[in-house]
Amino acid sequence: MTEKRRIELGSLYSLSGSYALISEACRTGVLAAIAAVNADPALDLEFVAVERDPQGNVDLYGPLCEEILRDSSARHVIGCVTSWSRKEVIPTIEKHGGALWYAVPYEGFEASDHVVYTHACPNQHLLPLLNWVLPQFGPRGFLTGSNYIWGWEMNRLARERITLAGGEVLGERYLPIGSREIDRMIEEIRVSRPDFVLNSMIGPSSYAFMQAYRALGEADAHFRPERCPILSCNLTECELPALGEAAEGLIAAGPYFRGATGLAGGHDFGSSHEARAYASVMELARLLAHREGSETWSLAQLLAADSGAGGIVDAETHHTVLPVIIAQVREGAFKTVQRTERVAGDPYLTRGRNFPTAPMLRVVS
Amino acid sequence: MKRPIRIQNLGGARAMILHRPHPTVAALTRQLAAIGLQVTQAWPEAGAEAMAQDFIFFDADMGHDEMFPWPVQQAPMPMVALIGSEAPGRIEWALRAGAHAQLLKPVGDNGAYSALLIARDAFDAQRAFYAEIADLRRRLDERQTVVRAVTLLSARGKTEAEAYAQLRQMAMAWRISFEDAAGRIVGGSASEEGGNGKHDRG
């Protein structure tokens, strides 16, 4: 058996607070990957997790990340769920020459030299989701979000795409993270009668909204999923327990849903959050393996040394190639309705045909 | 003026960095390539290739007017100044060279995307303003033509107000500007009353 180098690996997930379910899913993936790496006799390294818990408080991310990079030998940190927290830690990561592995879906328009983005960006979630939904349900959307960058940017892109398709945005509303005051939003949706609702809220706001929307659908058939579904790019299996029946009919996009093959390499992950956190740690292990001293290298050095070896991280954008799966919750589980293989992350929507110049919907008489 | 900002169409756009070889050039090239641009570097002069670029990033510290193949302030594309020394003389020169946005040196891991969008928006706004000013200036120059046209129409027994209204109606019917309609009246090509624009010169 190869002698194993002991390498510390930072982990920065909030185990309490409004998005704890997502953090827990990611952490499950991280710990499973660490166990797999440590048990693999072919790898000359073992990971030791250096964990910090910011408890859902965005102001703790910077200081706790600093603590990991200052007080341990870890250069790589896996963590952050909200884009807000990611933007808080990047300056710290840069200052220490470290790297952040970010394993959840986000809104794109970023390609830091110090970050690897292993989950989906809009050309891998929102745009294909709208492409699938608009022709089926109609082009009139209502946009909702939590009041921070994820919701704002998702809804900006959705508005751009819906308008290009000749559709209409009937409303756009935000709630502060953690707020459950969804009554006004629900009332506006009831009155405007859209064809679909994009839900880019997180945590308790999203759960309260989904439950109230289900009740609305029971009172008025227009708001049942077969006529006016809720769309999401951030809900996965890890939050189904918090949603219960209210998740029925939800249409979501992601690189993996439970039971999907291909991405998971034979593993049965609980959600794409868990799957991509796992994949991140495994890829880091592959990059560090059999490169003596590489645990002190910068991310750029590490990727340069691995150039051409078939890694998952694109050297230019630091994003990954993923399947795009559109799935609908039926009887408590996501069922795939469309699957596209191998879509490269395109954070600035500048590669490939993300924006058709002509409306993609025609009126059929 | 309300114009939507252009966020699309950066894919495959060409950017030239006018700067001596330097880590700042490497960092900026990395950022621009990640965004999806094709990047070239040139120094000390831009050369004719500069004309084919969609964006120019230029060194404000060592820059000079002769580095650009166009007259001062007539860059045909958005320009971003790379500023190291914030000395007033250098900032003044960068502005005079036509900077639409700036990035502070040393360039690190971010800043290029906002610089691209801000420079392009400022460039678009500037171009729209120049076009509008040129149009207003031309119309101002044609005040005399308008006065002569109104006088000509009044000579046929109309009041000045009626002549003015008639000229406006002609412009609308011909789908040309008020000043152009006046030009036709004065030029005589529409001297027949009720000219219907069949001899449209536009």
Side-chain angles (χ1 to χ4, degrees), chain A residues 69-86:
Chain A
L69 295 171
R70 189 189 58 216
D71 298 348
S72 80
S73 63
R75 291 301 94 196
H76 295 264
V77 177
I78 180 159
C80 296
V81 169
T82 63
S83 287
W84 191 5
S85 64
R86 184 187 70 256

Side-chain angles (χ1 to χ4, degrees), chain A residues 133-361:
Chain A
V133 164
L134 265 61
Q136 310 238 10
F137 292 91
R140 297 157 67 253
F142 194 102
L143 312 177
T144 71
S146 292
N147 207 12
Y148 75 107
I149 186 82
W150 161 254
W152 300 333
E153 198 57 35
M154 288 291 280
N155 288 342
R156 184 195 67 77
L157 263 176
R159 177 181 289 276
E160 190 169 270
R161 172 48 63 101
I162 290 166
T163 309
L164 268 174
E168 197 183 344
V169 174
L170 302 179
E172 182 171 341
R173 287 288 166 205
Y174 296 92
L175 285 185
I177 294 176
S179 167
R180 290 185 173 83
E181 291 175 18
I182 40 75
D183 293 354
R184 181 176 168 195
M185 208 178 246
I186 288 284
E187 182 57 16
E188 287 183 351
I189 291 169
R190 190 183 69 77
V191 172
S192 59
R193 302 182 85 74
D195 297 322
F196 61 88
V197 178
L198 177 62
N199 172 12
S200 298
M201 290 180 281
I202 62 166
S205 312
S206 181
Y207 311 151
F209 174 76
M210 298 283 288
Q211 273 140 20
Y213 188 80
R214 171 145 177 113
L216 179 64
E218 278 161 10
D220 181 340
H222 177 90
F223 300 101
R224 289 190 190 139
E226 53 274 22
R227 173 64 189 90
C228 179
I230 292 184
L231 318 183
S232 169
C233 296
N234 53 289
L235 285 169
T236 69
E237 291 88 343
C238 74
E239 292 182 282
L240 288 186
L243 293 170
E245 287 277 299
E248 278 303 304
L250 169 77
I251 302 175
Y256 171 87
F257 289 98
R258 192 151 197 184
T261 52
L263 181 68
H267 294 269
D268 186 18
F269 294 109
S271 66
S272 65
H273 292 114
E274 184 184 325
R276 295 316 285 164
Y278 182 93
S280 302
V281 174
M282 296 307 283
E283 178 66 358
L284 176 60
R286 194 191 63 75
L287 287 166
L288 294 172
H290 312 296
R291 294 192 169 104
E292 196 65 44
S294 59
E295 53 268 37
T296 65
W297 296 358
S298 70
L299 179 61
Q301 282 174 291
L302 209 48
L303 293 176
D306 194 59
S307 171
I312 66 169
V313 184
D314 181 88
E316 271 190 351
T317 64
H318 290 188
H319 286 60
T320 59
V321 173
L322 297 170
V324 174
I325 300 172
I326 298 178
Q328 183 165 36
V329 177
R330 290 175 196 158
E331 290 165 15
F334 283 98
K335 300 282 185 297
T336 298
V337 294
Q338 189 192 61
R339 181 179 172 123
T340 311
E341 300 299 335
R342 297 195 55 78
V343 177
D346 181 9
Y348 290 93
L349 301 173
T350 50
R351 298 161 164 82
R353 302 181 53 190
N354 291 301
F355 284 95
T357 47
M360 46 179 200
L361 287 185

